Amino acid sequence: IRLAINGITSFSDKPLRIATQFGIWISIGSFFAIIWVLLTRFVFQTTVPGWASSLLVMLLLGGVQIFFLGIIGTYISRIHAEVRNRPRYLVKQVYSFSDGNSDE
């Protein structure tokens, strides 16, 4: 399992981007849940006391935290890719175009 996790996280920042998207979706879902809870509280008058505030705060803050952790992780991943000091491209073959009159 350790080898699989190392293989996934060593060559890609895709898991970090997935975490960022997951945080966005949780935050969006919590906004819809806020609307639903407010409707059930003030329109239908059918809520358990304390349930709405606890659940909505946890959902919203959890989604925002996951979102920002994904952004920070992606940023650190890009820093790590830069400090590896790998070339931006690889040269497969070098051609020399000399006219024959040079001192080479």
Side-chain angles (χ1 to χ4, degrees):
I1 292 174
R2 192 175 339 151
L3 180 62
I5 292 173
N6 194 15
I8 290 170
T9 58
S10 292
F11 301 107
S12 174
D13 63 344
K14 185 123 175 122
L16 297 170
R17 286 186 274 147
I18 290 171
T20 304
Q21 292 173 356
F22 186 63
I24 290 171
W25 286 112
I26 289 176
S27 298
I28 290 171
S30 68
F31 283 121
F32 286 123
I34 287 171
I35 293 170
W36 177 70
V37 168
L38 290 175
L39 282 175
T40 58
R41 171 71 176 109
F42 294 114
V43 176
F44 303 118
Q45 306 284 329
T46 58
T47 59
V48 177
W51 170 80
S53 60
S54 300
L55 180 70
L56 295 179
V57 168
M58 286 191 308
L59 280 175
L60 184 62
L61 290 179
V64 170
Q65 284 177 347
I66 292 172
F67 171 69
F68 281 111
L69 278 175
I71 288 178
I72 291 169
T74 305
Y75 182 70
I76 292 172
S77 171
R78 290 182 185 203
I79 291 172
H80 182 258
E82 281 293 320
V83 299
R84 273 193 240 164
N85 205 12
R86 291 185 179 166
R88 294 190 186 270
Y89 54 87
L90 297 174
V91 177
K92 185 175 182 180
Q93 187 174 5
V94 176
Y95 295 100
S96 175
F97 298 104
S98 63
D99 56 2
N101 295 335
S102 64
D103 293 334
E104 293 180 24

